[in-house]
């Protein structure tokens, strides 16, 4: 049985953190939130081939998010938010043998596990809250919005699509 990702929970938990850390306008700093939640964020030079394949990962024993030094700033922001999601949503998963480091190309050879889809959703909710996006979307291009929120243009396009389809979520 395929268990469907719980998108509502991803949204709820992201909103809780935004409120807890008083973020009311972009950009959102996921590193500050992670550290507020007792995690360390460490930048590392990964060895080949990981440097080419992995954006980052969560280390349970060290209670740390490791981020690949070679990735772009936008990717760093998203990676921290994604790994923070695992800490918030997936304690059991990150302790299990199924947990996978976040790939750079967003490609999961055996299909994307539910937890990874949820972590991406949580990251998008955390970094581009719809109520904030709604405020700026009328007078900024996708490119400008990406710069404002410190995320990729793809992430902005994805969030704009969600906003178009479910405008009530931005209330």
């Amino acid at each position: 049985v395929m268990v469907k990702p719980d998108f509502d929970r991803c949204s709820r938990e992201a909103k809780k953190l935004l409120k807890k850390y008083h973020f009311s306008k972009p950009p959102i700093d996921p590193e500050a939130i992670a550290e507020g939640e007792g995690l360390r964020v460490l930048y590392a030079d990964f060895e080949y081939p990981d440097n080419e394949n992995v954006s980052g990962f969560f280390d349970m024993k060290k209670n740390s998010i490791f981020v690949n030094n070679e990735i772009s700033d936008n990717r760093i922001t998203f990676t921290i938010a994604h790994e923070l999601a695992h800490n918030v949503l997936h304690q059991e998963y990150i302790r299990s043998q199924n947990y996978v480091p976040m790939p750079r190309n967003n490609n999961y050879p055996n299909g994307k596990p539910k937890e990874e889809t949820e972590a991406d959703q949580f990251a998008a909710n955390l970094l581009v809250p719809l109520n904030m996006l709604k405020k700026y979307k009328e007078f900024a291009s996708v490119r400008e919005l990406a710069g404002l929120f410190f995320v990729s243009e793809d992430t902005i396009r994805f969030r704009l699509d969600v906003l178009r389809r479910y405008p009530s979520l931005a209330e």
Side-chain angles (χ1 to χ4, degrees):
V1 184
M2 272 298 289
V3 186
K4 285 172 72 161
D6 185 346
F7 294 140
D8 287 344
R9 183 166 176 237
C10 298
S11 168
R12 262 195 331 270
E13 294 297 334
K15 278 188 180 138
K16 257 190 231 169
L17 287 176
L18 289 168
K19 199 171 168 173
K20 180 175 177 182
Y21 293 99
H22 310 293
F23 281 103
S24 55
K25 58 185 202 297
I28 309 302
D29 181 353
E31 188 168 345
I33 295 174
E35 289 176 348
E37 293 298 293
L39 306 177
R40 289 189 311 164
V41 177
L42 303 168
Y43 295 85
D45 295 314
F46 292 6
E47 308 235 326
Y48 181 84
D50 289 342
N51 66 323
E52 290 185 4
N53 302 330
V54 175
S55 282
F57 64 89
F58 189 81
D59 183 325
M60 280 289 304
K61 290 186 191 70
K62 298 193 168 104
N63 209 22
S64 301
I65 294 169
F66 284 89
V67 181
N68 182 349
N69 256 330
E70 292 180 27
I71 60 178
S72 70
D73 289 350
N74 289 345
R75 192 83 188 137
I76 286 172
T77 304
F78 200 88
T79 299
I80 295 169
H82 174 105
E83 297 304 332
L84 172 62
H86 289 317
N87 185 63
V88 173
L89 304 168
H90 304 134
Q91 284 296 320
E92 201 175 307
Y93 171 66
I94 49 181
R95 287 193 179 86
S96 75
Q97 296 307 303
N98 303 328
Y99 170 68
V100 283
M102 186 175 178
R104 274 179 84 160
N105 56 8
N106 208 18
N107 213 336
Y108 294 82
N110 307 318
K112 200 178 220 182
K114 167 182 91 82
E115 290 85 357
E116 297 303 324
T117 301
E118 288 181 347
D120 283 348
Q121 285 286 337
F122 172 96
N125 275 292
L126 186 75
L127 298 173
V128 190
L130 294 177
N131 60 335
M132 294 184 201
L133 184 59
K134 187 179 170 181
K135 267 187 212 146
Y136 296 99
K137 76 178 175 70
E138 293 314 322
F139 48 88
S141 66
V142 167
R143 198 169 147 204
E144 289 165 337
L145 289 166
L148 185 65
F149 284 91
F150 276 45
V151 295
S152 68
E153 292 182 24
D154 279 348
T155 299
I156 292 293
R157 277 190 278 273
F158 166 71
R159 296 299 280 164
L160 284 168
D161 188 50
V162 173
L163 189 56
R164 258 193 304 279
R165 286 188 299 170
Y166 310 104
S168 67
L169 292 179
E171 299 315 315

